[in-house]
Coordinates of all heavy atoms in Angstrom, one line a residue:
M1228 N -38.5 -31.9 -5.3 CA -39.6 -31.8 -6.2 C -39.9 -30.4 -6.4 O -40.1 -29.8 -7.5 CB -40.7 -32.7 -5.8 CG -41.8 -32.7 -6.9 SD -41.3 -33.6 -8.3 CE -42.8 -33.6 -9.2
K1229 N -39.9 -29.6 -5.3 CA -40.4 -28.2 -5.3 C -39.4 -27.4 -6.0 O -39.7 -26.5 -6.8 CB -40.6 -27.7 -3.9 CG -41.8 -28.1 -3.1 CD -41.9 -27.7 -1.8 CE -43.1 -28.2 -1.1 NZ -43.3 -27.6 0.3
K1230 N -38.1 -27.7 -5.8 CA -37.0 -27.0 -6.5 C -37.1 -27.2 -8.0 O -36.9 -26.3 -8.8 CB -35.6 -27.4 -6.0 CG -35.4 -27.0 -4.6 CD -34.0 -27.5 -4.1 CE -33.7 -27.0 -2.8 NZ -32.4 -27.6 -2.2
F1231 N -37.4 -28.5 -8.4 CA -37.5 -28.8 -9.9 C -38.6 -28.0 -10.4 O -38.6 -27.4 -11.5 CB -37.8 -30.2 -10.0 CG -38.0 -30.6 -11.5 CD1 -36.9 -30.6 -12.4 CD2 -39.2 -31.0 -12.0 CE1 -37.2 -30.9 -13.7 CE2 -39.5 -31.3 -13.2 CZ -38.4 -31.3 -14.2
L1232 N -39.8 -27.9 -9.7 CA -41.0 -27.1 -10.3 C -40.7 -25.7 -10.4 O -41.1 -25.0 -11.3 CB -42.2 -27.5 -9.5 CG -42.8 -28.9 -9.5 CD1 -44.1 -29.0 -8.5 CD2 -43.2 -29.2 -10.9
L1233 N -40.0 -25.2 -9.3 CA -39.6 -23.7 -9.4 C -38.7 -23.5 -10.5 O -38.9 -22.5 -11.3 CB -38.8 -23.4 -8.1 CG -38.5 -21.9 -8.0 CD1 -39.6 -20.9 -8.1 CD2 -37.8 -21.6 -6.7
L1234 N -37.7 -24.3 -10.8 CA -36.8 -24.2 -11.9 C -37.6 -24.2 -13.2 O -37.4 -23.4 -14.2 CB -35.7 -25.2 -11.9 CG -34.7 -25.1 -12.9 CD1 -34.0 -23.7 -12.9 CD2 -33.7 -26.2 -12.7
L1235 N -38.5 -25.1 -13.3 CA -39.2 -25.4 -14.6 C -40.2 -24.1 -14.8 O -40.2 -23.7 -15.8 CB -40.1 -26.6 -14.4 CG -40.9 -27.1 -15.6 CD1 -40.0 -27.3 -16.8 CD2 -41.7 -28.3 -15.3
T1236 N -40.7 -23.6 -13.7 CA -41.5 -22.4 -13.9 C -40.7 -21.3 -14.3 O -41.1 -20.5 -15.2 CB -42.2 -22.0 -12.5 OG1 -42.9 -23.2 -12.1 CG2 -43.2 -20.9 -12.6
I1237 N -39.5 -21.0 -13.8 CA -38.6 -19.9 -14.1 C -38.4 -20.1 -15.6 O -38.4 -19.2 -16.5 CB -37.5 -19.8 -13.2 CG1 -37.9 -19.4 -11.8 CG2 -36.4 -18.8 -13.8 CD1 -36.8 -19.6 -10.8
V1238 N -37.8 -21.3 -16.0 CA -37.3 -21.5 -17.4 C -38.6 -21.4 -18.3 O -38.4 -20.7 -19.4 CB -36.7 -22.9 -17.5 CG1 -36.3 -23.2 -18.9 CG2 -35.4 -22.9 -16.7
G1239 N -39.7 -22.0 -17.9 CA -40.9 -21.9 -18.8 C -41.4 -20.4 -19.0 O -41.7 -20.2 -20.0
S1240 N -41.3 -19.7 -18.0 CA -41.7 -18.3 -18.1 C -40.7 -17.4 -19.0 O -41.3 -16.6 -19.5 CB -41.8 -17.6 -16.7 OG -40.6 -17.5 -16.2
C1241 N -39.5 -17.9 -19.1 CA -38.6 -17.2 -20.0 C -39.1 -17.3 -21.4 O -38.8 -16.4 -22.3 CB -37.2 -17.7 -19.8 SG -36.5 -17.0 -18.3
I1242 N -39.8 -18.4 -21.7 CA -40.2 -18.6 -23.1 C -41.2 -17.7 -23.6 O -41.2 -17.2 -24.7 CB -40.8 -20.1 -23.3 CG1 -39.7 -21.1 -23.1 CG2 -41.4 -20.2 -24.6 CD1 -40.1 -22.5 -22.9
F1243 N -41.9 -17.1 -22.6 CA -43.0 -16.2 -22.8 C -42.5 -14.6 -22.6 O -43.3 -13.9 -22.6 CB -44.2 -16.5 -22.1 CG -44.7 -17.8 -22.4 CD1 -44.5 -18.8 -21.5 CD2 -45.3 -18.1 -23.6 CE1 -45.0 -20.1 -21.8 CE2 -45.7 -19.4 -23.9 CZ -45.6 -20.4 -23.0
C1244 N -41.2 -14.5 -22.4 CA -40.7 -13.1 -22.2 C -41.0 -12.2 -23.4 O -41.1 -12.6 -24.4 CB -39.2 -13.2 -21.8 SG -38.8 -14.0 -20.3
N1245 N -41.0 -10.9 -23.1 CA -41.2 -10.0 -24.1 C -40.0 -10.0 -25.1 O -38.9 -9.9 -24.7 CB -41.3 -8.6 -23.4 CG -41.5 -7.5 -24.4 OD1 -41.6 -7.7 -25.7 ND2 -41.8 -6.3 -23.9
S1246 N -40.2 -10.3 -26.4 CA -39.2 -10.4 -27.3 C -38.6 -9.1 -27.6 O -37.4 -9.1 -28.3 CB -39.7 -11.0 -28.7 OG -40.8 -10.1 -29.2
A1247 N -39.1 -8.1 -27.2 CA -38.4 -6.6 -27.4 C -37.1 -6.6 -26.6 O -36.2 -5.9 -26.9 CB -39.3 -5.5 -27.0
I1248 N -37.0 -7.3 -25.5 CA -35.9 -7.4 -24.7 C -35.0 -8.5 -25.2 O -35.2 -9.6 -24.8 CB -36.1 -7.6 -23.1 CG1 -37.2 -6.5 -22.7 CG2 -34.9 -7.6 -22.3 CD1 -37.7 -6.8 -21.2
A1249 N -33.9 -8.1 -26.0 CA -33.1 -9.0 -26.6 C -31.8 -9.3 -25.7 O -31.4 -8.3 -25.1 CB -32.7 -8.6 -28.0
A1250 N -31.3 -10.4 -25.8 CA -30.0 -10.7 -25.2 C -28.9 -10.1 -26.0 O -29.0 -9.7 -27.2 CB -29.7 -12.2 -25.2
P1251 N -27.7 -9.6 -25.4 CA -26.7 -8.9 -26.1 C -26.1 -9.9 -27.1 O -26.1 -11.1 -27.0 CB -25.7 -8.6 -24.9 CG -26.0 -9.6 -23.8 CD -27.6 -9.8 -24.0
S1252 N -25.7 -9.2 -28.2 CA -25.1 -10.0 -29.3 C -23.8 -10.6 -28.9 O -23.2 -10.2 -27.8 CB -24.8 -9.0 -30.5 OG -23.8 -8.2 -30.2
T1253 N -23.3 -11.6 -29.6 CA -22.0 -12.3 -29.3 C -20.9 -11.3 -29.3 O -20.1 -11.3 -28.4 CB -21.7 -13.3 -30.3 OG1 -22.8 -14.3 -30.4 CG2 -20.5 -14.1 -30.0
T1254 N -21.0 -10.3 -30.2 CA -20.0 -9.2 -30.3 C -19.8 -8.5 -29.1 O -18.8 -8.1 -28.5 CB -20.1 -8.4 -31.7 OG1 -20.0 -9.2 -32.7 CG2 -18.9 -7.3 -31.6
E1255 N -21.1 -8.1 -28.6 CA -21.2 -7.1 -27.4 C -20.7 -8.0 -26.2 O -19.9 -7.4 -25.3 CB -22.7 -6.8 -27.2 CG -23.1 -5.7 -28.1 CD -24.7 -5.5 -28.1 OE1 -25.3 -6.4 -27.5 OE2 -25.2 -4.5 -28.6
T1256 N -21.1 -9.3 -26.1 CA -20.7 -10.1 -25.0 C -19.1 -10.2 -25.0 O -18.5 -10.1 -23.9 CB -21.3 -11.5 -25.1 OG1 -22.7 -11.2 -25.1 CG2 -20.9 -12.3 -23.8
V1257 N -18.5 -10.5 -26.0 CA -17.1 -10.6 -26.1 C -16.3 -9.3 -25.8 O -15.4 -9.4 -25.1 CB -16.6 -11.1 -27.6 CG1 -15.2 -10.9 -27.8 CG2 -17.2 -12.5 -27.9
K1258 N -17.0 -8.1 -26.2 CA -16.4 -6.9 -25.9 C -16.4 -6.7 -24.4 O -15.4 -6.2 -23.7 CB -17.0 -5.8 -26.6 CG -16.7 -5.5 -28.0 CD -17.4 -4.4 -28.7 CE -17.1 -4.3 -30.2 NZ -17.9 -3.3 -30.9
A1259 N -17.5 -7.0 -23.8 CA -17.7 -6.8 -22.4 C -16.7 -7.7 -21.6 O -16.2 -7.2 -20.6 CB -19.2 -7.0 -21.9
K1260 N -16.5 -9.0 -22.0 CA -15.8 -9.9 -21.3 C -14.2 -9.5 -21.4 O -13.6 -9.5 -20.5 CB -15.9 -11.3 -21.9 CG -17.2 -11.9 -21.4 CD -17.3 -13.4 -21.9 CE -18.6 -14.0 -21.5 NZ -18.7 -15.4 -22.0
S1261 N -13.9 -8.9 -22.6 CA -12.5 -8.6 -22.8 C -12.1 -7.4 -22.0 O -11.1 -7.3 -21.5 CB -12.2 -8.5 -24.3 OG -12.9 -7.4 -24.8
T1262 N -13.1 -6.4 -21.9 CA -12.9 -5.3 -21.2 C -12.8 -5.6 -19.6 O -11.9 -5.1 -19.0 CB -14.1 -4.2 -21.4 OG1 -14.1 -3.8 -22.7 CG2 -13.8 -2.9 -20.5
N1263 N -13.6 -6.4 -19.2 CA -13.7 -6.8 -17.8 C -12.4 -7.6 -17.5 O -11.7 -7.4 -16.4 CB -14.9 -7.7 -17.4 CG -16.1 -6.9 -17.4 OD1 -16.0 -5.7 -17.3 ND2 -17.3 -7.5 -17.5
T1264 N -11.9 -8.5 -18.4 CA -10.8 -9.2 -18.2 C -9.5 -8.4 -18.1 O -8.7 -8.5 -17.2 CB -10.6 -10.3 -19.4 OG1 -11.7 -11.1 -19.3 CG2 -9.3 -11.1 -19.2
A1265 N -9.4 -7.4 -19.0 CA -8.3 -6.5 -19.0 C -8.3 -5.6 -17.6 O -7.2 -5.4 -17.2 CB -8.4 -5.5 -20.3
T1266 N -9.4 -5.2 -17.3 CA -9.5 -4.4 -16.0 C -9.0 -5.3 -14.9 O -8.3 -5.0 -14.0 CB -10.9 -3.9 -15.8 OG1 -11.3 -3.1 -16.9 CG2 -11.0 -3.0 -14.6
K1267 N -9.6 -6.5 -14.9 CA -9.2 -7.5 -13.8 C -7.8 -7.8 -13.7 O -7.1 -7.9 -12.8 CB -10.0 -8.7 -13.8 CG -11.4 -8.5 -13.4 CD -12.2 -9.8 -13.6 CE -13.6 -9.7 -13.2 NZ -14.4 -10.9 -13.5
T1268 N -7.2 -8.0 -15.0 CA -5.7 -8.4 -15.1 C -4.9 -7.1 -14.6 O -4.0 -7.4 -13.9 CB -5.4 -8.6 -16.6 OG1 -6.2 -9.7 -17.0 CG2 -3.9 -8.9 -16.7
I1269 N -5.2 -5.9 -15.0 CA -4.5 -4.7 -14.5 C -4.6 -4.6 -13.0 O -3.6 -4.4 -12.3 CB -4.9 -3.4 -15.1 CG1 -4.5 -3.5 -16.6 CG2 -4.3 -2.3 -14.5 CD1 -5.1 -2.3 -17.4
K1270 N -5.8 -4.8 -12.4 CA -6.0 -4.7 -11.0 C -5.2 -5.8 -10.4 O -4.6 -5.6 -9.3 CB -7.5 -4.8 -10.7 CG -7.7 -4.8 -9.1 CD -9.1 -4.9 -8.9 CE -9.5 -4.7 -7.3 NZ -8.4 -5.1 -6.4
G1271 N -5.2 -7.0 -10.8 CA -4.6 -8.1 -10.3 C -3.1 -7.9 -10.3 O -2.4 -8.2 -9.3
K1272 N -2.6 -7.4 -11.4 CA -1.1 -7.2 -11.5 C -0.6 -6.0 -10.4 O 0.2 -6.1 -9.7 CB -0.7 -6.7 -12.8 CG -0.7 -8.0 -13.8 CD -0.1 -7.5 -15.2 CE -0.1 -8.8 -16.1 NZ 0.4 -8.4 -17.4
Y1273 N -1.5 -5.0 -10.4 CA -1.3 -3.9 -9.4 C -1.2 -4.4 -8.0 O -0.3 -4.2 -7.2 CB -2.4 -2.9 -9.5 CG -2.4 -1.8 -8.4 CD1 -1.6 -0.7 -8.5 CD2 -3.2 -1.9 -7.3 CE1 -1.6 0.3 -7.4 CE2 -3.1 -1.2 -6.3 CZ -2.4 0.0 -6.4 OH -2.2 1.0 -5.4
D1274 N -2.2 -5.2 -7.7 CA -2.2 -5.9 -6.3 C -1.0 -6.7 -6.0 O -0.4 -6.7 -4.9 CB -3.5 -6.7 -6.1 CG -4.7 -5.9 -6.1 OD1 -4.6 -4.6 -5.7 OD2 -5.9 -6.3 -6.3
V1275 N -0.5 -7.4 -7.1 CA 0.6 -8.3 -6.8 C 1.8 -7.5 -6.5 O 2.5 -7.7 -5.8 CB 0.8 -9.2 -8.1 CG1 2.1 -10.0 -8.1 CG2 -0.3 -10.3 -8.1
W1276 N 2.0 -6.4 -7.5 CA 3.3 -5.5 -7.3 C 3.2 -4.9 -6.0 O 4.3 -4.8 -5.4 CB 3.3 -4.6 -8.5 CG 3.6 -5.2 -9.8 CD1 2.8 -4.7 -10.9 CD2 4.5 -6.3 -10.3 NE1 3.3 -5.5 -12.0 CE2 4.2 -6.4 -11.7 CE3 5.3 -7.0 -9.5 CZ2 5.0 -7.4 -12.3 CZ3 6.0 -8.0 -10.3 CH2 5.8 -8.1 -11.7
M1277 N 2.0 -4.3 -5.6 CA 2.0 -3.8 -4.3 C 2.3 -4.6 -3.1 O 3.0 -4.4 -2.2 CB 0.6 -3.0 -4.0 CG 0.4 -1.8 -5.0 SD 1.6 -0.5 -4.7 CE 1.1 0.2 -3.1
R1278 N 1.8 -5.9 -3.1 CA 2.0 -6.9 -2.2 C 3.5 -7.2 -2.0 O 4.0 -7.3 -0.8 CB 1.1 -8.1 -2.3 CG -0.2 -8.0 -1.7 CD -0.9 -9.3 -1.8 NE -2.3 -9.1 -2.2 CZ -2.9 -9.6 -3.2 NH1 -2.2 -10.5 -4.0 NH2 -4.1 -9.3 -3.5
I1279 N 4.0 -7.5 -3.1 CA 5.4 -7.8 -3.1 C 6.3 -6.6 -2.6 O 7.3 -6.8 -1.8 CB 5.9 -8.1 -4.6 CG1 5.3 -9.4 -5.1 CG2 7.4 -8.2 -4.7 CD1 5.5 -9.8 -6.6
G1280 N 6.0 -5.4 -3.0 CA 6.7 -4.2 -2.5 C 6.5 -4.1 -0.9 O 7.5 -3.9 -0.3
Y1281 N 5.3 -4.3 -0.4 CA 5.1 -4.2 1.0 C 5.9 -5.2 1.7 O 6.6 -5.1 2.8 CB 3.6 -4.2 1.3 CG 2.8 -3.1 1.0 CD1 1.6 -3.1 0.4 CD2 3.2 -1.8 1.5 CE1 0.9 -2.0 0.1 CE2 2.4 -0.7 1.1 CZ 1.3 -0.8 0.4 OH 0.6 0.3 0.1
K1282 N 5.9 -6.5 1.2 CA 6.7 -7.6 1.9 C 8.2 -7.3 1.8 O 8.9 -7.5 2.8 CB 6.4 -8.8 1.2 CG 5.1 -9.5 1.5 CD 4.8 -10.8 0.9 CE 3.4 -11.2 1.1 NZ 3.1 -12.6 0.4
A1283 N 8.7 -6.8 0.7 CA 10.0 -6.4 0.7 C 10.4 -5.4 1.6 O 11.4 -5.3 2.2 CB 10.4 -6.0 -0.8
Y1284 N 9.5 -4.3 1.6 CA 9.7 -3.1 2.6 C 9.8 -3.6 4.0 O 10.7 -3.3 4.8 CB 8.5 -2.1 2.5 CG 8.8 -0.9 3.1 CD1 9.3 0.2 2.6 CD2 8.4 -0.7 4.4 CE1 9.5 1.4 3.2 CE2 8.5 0.5 5.1 CZ 9.0 1.6 4.5 OH 9.2 2.7 5.2
D1285 N 8.9 -4.5 4.4 CA 8.9 -5.1 5.8 C 10.2 -5.9 6.1 O 10.6 -5.8 7.2 CB 7.7 -6.0 6.1 CG 6.3 -5.3 6.1 OD1 6.4 -4.1 6.2 OD2 5.3 -5.9 5.9
K1286 N 10.8 -6.4 5.0 CA 12.0 -7.1 5.2 C 13.3 -6.2 5.1 O 14.4 -6.7 5.0 CB 12.2 -8.3 4.2 CG 11.2 -9.4 4.4 CD 11.3 -10.4 3.3 CE 10.3 -11.6 3.5 NZ 10.3 -12.5 2.5
K1287 N 12.9 -4.8 4.9 CA 14.0 -3.9 4.7 C 14.8 -4.0 3.4 O 15.9 -3.6 3.3 CB 14.9 -3.8 6.0 CG 14.2 -3.5 7.2 CD 15.2 -3.3 8.4 CE 14.5 -3.0 9.7 NZ 13.2 -2.6 9.8
D1288 N 14.2 -4.7 2.5 CA 14.7 -4.8 1.1 C 14.1 -3.6 0.3 O 13.2 -3.9 -0.5 CB 14.4 -6.2 0.5 CG 15.0 -6.4 -0.9 OD1 15.7 -5.5 -1.3 OD2 14.8 -7.6 -1.4
Y1289 N 14.6 -2.5 0.4 CA 14.0 -1.4 -0.1 C 14.2 -1.2 -1.6 O 13.3 -0.6 -2.2 CB 14.6 -0.1 0.6 CG 14.3 -0.1 2.1 CD1 15.4 0.0 3.0 CD2 13.0 -0.2 2.6 CE1 15.1 0.0 4.3 CE2 12.7 -0.2 3.9 CZ 13.8 -0.1 4.8 OH 13.5 -0.2 6.1
N1290 N 15.3 -1.7 -2.2 CA 15.5 -1.7 -3.6 C 14.4 -2.5 -4.4 O 13.8 -2.1 -5.3 CB 16.8 -2.2 -4.0 CG 17.9 -1.1 -3.7 OD1 17.7 0.0 -3.9 ND2 19.1 -1.7 -3.1
T1291 N 14.1 -3.7 -3.8 CA 13.1 -4.6 -4.4 C 11.7 -3.9 -4.2 O 10.8 -4.0 -5.1 CB 13.0 -6.0 -3.8 OG1 14.3 -6.6 -4.0 CG2 12.0 -6.9 -4.3
A1292 N 11.4 -3.4 -3.0 CA 10.2 -2.7 -2.7 C 10.0 -1.5 -3.7 O 8.9 -1.4 -4.4 CB 10.2 -2.1 -1.3
L1293 N 11.0 -0.7 -3.9 CA 10.9 0.4 -4.8 C 10.6 -0.1 -6.2 O 9.7 0.5 -6.9 CB 12.2 1.3 -4.8 CG 12.2 2.5 -5.7 CD1 11.0 3.5 -5.0 CD2 13.4 3.3 -5.6
I1294 N 11.2 -1.1 -6.7 CA 11.0 -1.5 -8.1 C 9.7 -1.9 -8.2 O 8.9 -1.6 -9.3 CB 12.0 -2.7 -8.3 CG1 13.4 -2.3 -8.6 CG2 11.5 -3.5 -9.6 CD1 14.5 -3.4 -8.5
N1295 N 9.0 -2.7 -7.2 CA 7.6 -3.2 -7.4 C 6.5 -2.1 -7.2 O 5.6 -2.1 -7.9 CB 7.4 -4.3 -6.4 CG 8.2 -5.6 -6.8 OD1 7.7 -6.3 -7.8 ND2 9.2 -5.9 -6.2
F1296 N 6.9 -1.1 -6.3 CA 5.9 0.0 -6.1 C 5.9 0.7 -7.5 O 4.8 1.2 -7.9 CB 6.2 0.9 -5.0 CG 6.2 0.3 -3.7 CD1 7.0 0.5 -2.7 CD2 5.0 -0.5 -3.4 CE1 6.9 -0.1 -1.4 CE2 4.9 -1.1 -2.1 CZ 5.8 -0.9 -1.2
K1297 N 7.1 0.9 -8.1 CA 7.2 1.7 -9.4 C 6.4 0.9 -10.5 O 5.6 1.5 -11.4 CB 8.5 1.9 -9.8 CG 9.1 3.0 -9.1 CD 10.5 3.3 -9.5 CE 11.2 4.5 -8.8 NZ 12.5 4.9 -9.2
R1298 N 6.4 -0.5 -10.5 CA 5.7 -1.2 -11.5 C 4.2 -1.0 -11.3 O 3.4 -1.0 -12.2 CB 6.0 -2.8 -11.2 CG 7.2 -3.2 -11.8 CD 7.6 -4.6 -11.4 NE 8.9 -5.0 -12.0 CZ 9.5 -6.1 -11.6 NH1 9.0 -6.9 -10.7 NH2 10.7 -6.4 -12.2
A1299 N 3.8 -1.0 -10.0 CA 2.2 -0.7 -9.7 C 1.8 0.6 -10.2 O 0.8 0.8 -10.7 CB 2.0 -1.0 -8.2
L1300 N 2.8 1.6 -10.0 CA 2.4 3.0 -10.4 C 2.3 3.1 -12.0 O 1.5 3.8 -12.4 CB 3.5 4.0 -9.8 CG 3.1 5.3 -10.0 CD1 1.9 5.8 -9.2 CD2 4.2 6.4 -9.6
K1301 N 3.1 2.3 -12.6 CA 2.9 2.4 -14.1 C 1.6 1.9 -14.5 O 1.0 2.3 -15.6 CB 4.0 1.5 -14.8 CG 5.3 2.1 -14.8 CD 6.3 1.2 -15.6 CE 7.7 1.8 -15.5 NZ 8.7 1.0 -16.2
L1302 N 0.9 0.9 -13.7 CA -0.4 0.4 -14.0 C -1.4 1.4 -13.8 O -2.5 1.3 -14.2 CB -0.6 -0.9 -13.4 CG 0.2 -2.2 -13.9 CD1 0.0 -3.3 -13.0 CD2 -0.1 -2.4 -15.4
R1303 N -1.3 2.2 -12.6 CA -2.2 3.1 -12.2 C -1.5 4.4 -11.9 O -1.1 4.7 -10.9 CB -2.9 2.6 -10.9 CG -3.8 1.6 -11.0 CD -4.5 1.4 -9.7 NE -5.2 0.1 -9.6 CZ -5.9 -0.4 -8.6 NH1 -5.7 0.2 -7.4 NH2 -6.4 -1.5 -8.7
P1304 N -1.3 5.2 -13.0 CA -0.6 6.5 -12.8 C -1.3 7.3 -11.9 O -2.6 7.3 -11.8 CB -0.6 7.1 -14.2 CG -0.8 5.8 -15.1 CD -1.5 4.9 -14.4
N1305 N -0.6 8.1 -11.0 CA -1.1 9.0 -10.1 C -1.8 8.3 -8.9 O -2.6 8.9 -8.1 CB -2.1 10.0 -10.6 CG -1.5 10.8 -11.7 OD1 -0.3 11.2 -11.6 ND2 -2.1 11.1 -12.8
D1306 N -1.7 7.0 -8.7 CA -2.3 6.3 -7.5 C -1.5 6.7 -6.3 O -0.4 6.8 -6.1 CB -2.0 4.7 -7.7 CG -2.7 3.9 -6.6 OD1 -3.8 3.8 -6.5 OD2 -1.8 3.4 -5.8
V1307 N -2.5 7.0 -5.3 CA -2.0 7.6 -4.0 C -1.1 6.6 -3.3 O -0.1 7.0 -2.8 CB -3.2 8.1 -3.2 CG1 -2.9 8.7 -1.9 CG2 -4.0 9.2 -3.9
Y1308 N -1.6 5.4 -3.3 CA -1.0 4.4 -2.4 C 0.4 4.1 -3.0 O 1.4 3.9 -2.2 CB -1.8 3.1 -2.3 CG -3.2 3.4 -1.6 CD1 -4.4 3.5 -2.3 CD2 -3.1 3.6 -0.2 CE1 -5.5 3.7 -1.7 CE2 -4.4 4.0 0.3 CZ -5.6 4.1 -0.4 OH -6.8 4.4 0.3
A1309 N 0.5 3.8 -4.2 CA 1.8 3.5 -4.8 C 2.7 4.7 -4.7 O 4.0 4.5 -4.4 CB 1.6 3.2 -6.3
T1310 N 2.2 5.9 -4.9 CA 3.1 7.1 -4.9 C 3.6 7.3 -3.5 O 4.8 7.6 -3.3 CB 2.2 8.4 -5.3 OG1 1.7 8.2 -6.6 CG2 3.0 9.7 -5.3
K1311 N 2.8 7.1 -2.5 CA 3.2 7.3 -1.1 C 4.2 6.2 -0.7 O 5.2 6.4 0.0 CB 2.0 7.2 -0.1 CG 2.4 7.6 1.3 CD 2.9 9.1 1.4 CE 3.2 9.3 2.8 NZ 3.7 10.6 3.0
A1312 N 4.0 5.0 -1.2 CA 4.9 3.8 -0.8 C 6.3 4.1 -1.4 O 7.3 3.9 -0.9 CB 4.3 2.5 -1.5
I1313 N 6.2 4.7 -2.7 CA 7.6 5.0 -3.3 C 8.3 6.2 -2.5 O 9.4 6.0 -2.3 CB 7.3 5.5 -4.8 CG1 6.9 4.3 -5.7 CG2 8.5 6.3 -5.3 CD1 6.3 4.8 -7.0
Q1314 N 7.5 7.2 -2.1 CA 8.2 8.2 -1.3 C 8.7 7.7 -0.1 O 9.9 8.0 0.3 CB 7.1 9.3 -1.0 CG 6.6 10.0 -2.2 CD 5.5 11.1 -1.9 OE1 4.8 10.9 -0.8 NE2 5.0 11.7 -2.9
N1315 N 7.9 6.8 0.6 CA 8.5 6.2 1.9 C 9.7 5.4 1.7 O 10.7 5.6 2.5 CB 7.3 5.4 2.6 CG 6.3 6.2 3.1 OD1 6.4 7.5 3.3 ND2 5.1 5.7 3.3
T1316 N 9.7 4.7 0.5 CA 10.8 3.8 0.4 C 12.1 4.6 0.0 O 13.2 4.3 0.4 CB 10.4 2.8 -0.8 OG1 9.2 2.2 -0.5 CG2 11.6 1.8 -1.0
E1317 N 11.9 5.7 -0.8 CA 13.0 6.5 -1.2 C 13.7 7.2 0.0 O 14.8 7.4 0.1 CB 12.6 7.5 -2.3 CG 12.4 6.9 -3.7 CD 11.9 7.8 -4.8 OE1 11.3 8.8 -4.3 OE2 12.0 7.5 -5.9
K1318 N 12.8 7.5 0.8 CA 13.3 8.2 2.1 C 14.2 7.1 3.0 O 15.2 7.5 3.5 CB 12.1 8.6 3.1 CG 11.4 9.9 2.7 CD 10.4 10.2 3.6 CE 9.6 11.4 3.1 NZ 8.5 11.8 4.0
R1319 N 13.7 5.9 3.0 CA 14.4 4.8 3.7 C 15.8 4.5 2.9 O 16.8 4.4 3.6 CB 13.7 3.6 3.7 CG 12.5 3.5 4.6 CD 12.9 3.7 6.1 NE 11.8 3.6 6.9 CZ 11.8 3.3 8.2 NH1 12.9 3.1 8.7 NH2 10.6 3.4 8.9
L1320 N 15.8 4.5 1.7 CA 17.0 4.5 0.9 C 18.0 5.6 1.1 O 19.2 5.4 1.1 CB 16.7 4.2 -0.6 CG 16.2 2.9 -1.0 CD1 15.6 3.0 -2.5 CD2 17.2 1.8 -0.8
A1321 N 17.4 6.8 1.3 CA 18.3 8.0 1.5 C 18.8 8.0 3.0 O 19.6 8.9 3.4 CB 17.5 9.3 1.2
G1322 N 18.3 7.0 3.8 CA 18.7 7.0 5.2 C 18.0 8.0 6.1 O 18.4 8.3 7.3
K1323 N 16.8 8.4 5.8 CA 16.0 9.3 6.7 C 15.0 8.5 7.4 O 14.5 7.4 7.2 CB 15.3 10.3 5.7 CG 16.2 11.2 5.0 CD 15.5 12.2 4.2 CE 16.4 13.1 3.4 NZ 15.7 14.1 2.6

């Protein structure tokens, strides 16, 4: 009962909120969501390529590792981790 009253109080108080503070328009909301989604998608793909690369590297499958590290680097140019992973993998492929 207390939770219901608290919720009712919160919802009810929003009715009397200052009307100068407006909610974002639908267009603003869609833009924000699409930007966040794009960023999350790139981050997600980057993480996937790096994980696949590290797993392949651990299995000594350096060609697969290199391909995936390069995919990750395309998503984040100049990324320190992807760049270093590529350098290490290329050294392994060169027999060093």
Side-chain angles (χ1 to χ4, degrees):
M1228 182 70 173
K1229 288 181 182 180
K1230 289 180 184 178
F1231 175 75
L1232 290 176
L1233 177 61
L1234 181 61
L1235 184 60
T1236 304
I1237 292 169
V1238 172
S1240 66
C1241 289
I1242 295 170
F1243 301 106
C1244 291
N1245 185 352
S1246 61
I1248 303 172
S1252 70
T1253 305
T1254 306
E1255 291 170 338
T1256 304
V1257 170
K1258 283 181 186 176
K1260 284 182 181 178
S1261 63
T1262 302
N1263 290 341
T1264 302
T1266 303
K1267 287 179 184 176
T1268 302
I1269 290 171
K1270 182 185 181 332
K1272 286 182 180 180
Y1273 168 86
D1274 291 342
V1275 168
W1276 296 136
M1277 290 299 288
R1278 277 192 220 118
I1279 292 170
Y1281 287 130
K1282 286 180 182 180
Y1284 188 92
D1285 289 343
K1286 293 179 181 178
K1287 300 184 184 340
D1288 183 359
Y1289 301 122
N1290 288 319
T1291 301
L1293 186 60
I1294 289 167
N1295 287 287
F1296 292 142
K1297 286 182 177 182
R1298 287 176 177 166
L1300 188 62
K1301 282 183 183 180
L1302 294 174
R1303 288 189 191 171
N1305 302 319
D1306 180 71
V1307 176
Y1308 299 105
T1310 302
K1311 189 63 178 173
I1313 290 169
Q1314 291 170 353
N1315 291 338
T1316 305
E1317 287 175 339
K1318 284 182 186 177
R1319 292 292 182 161
L1320 285 169
K1323 295 180 182 179

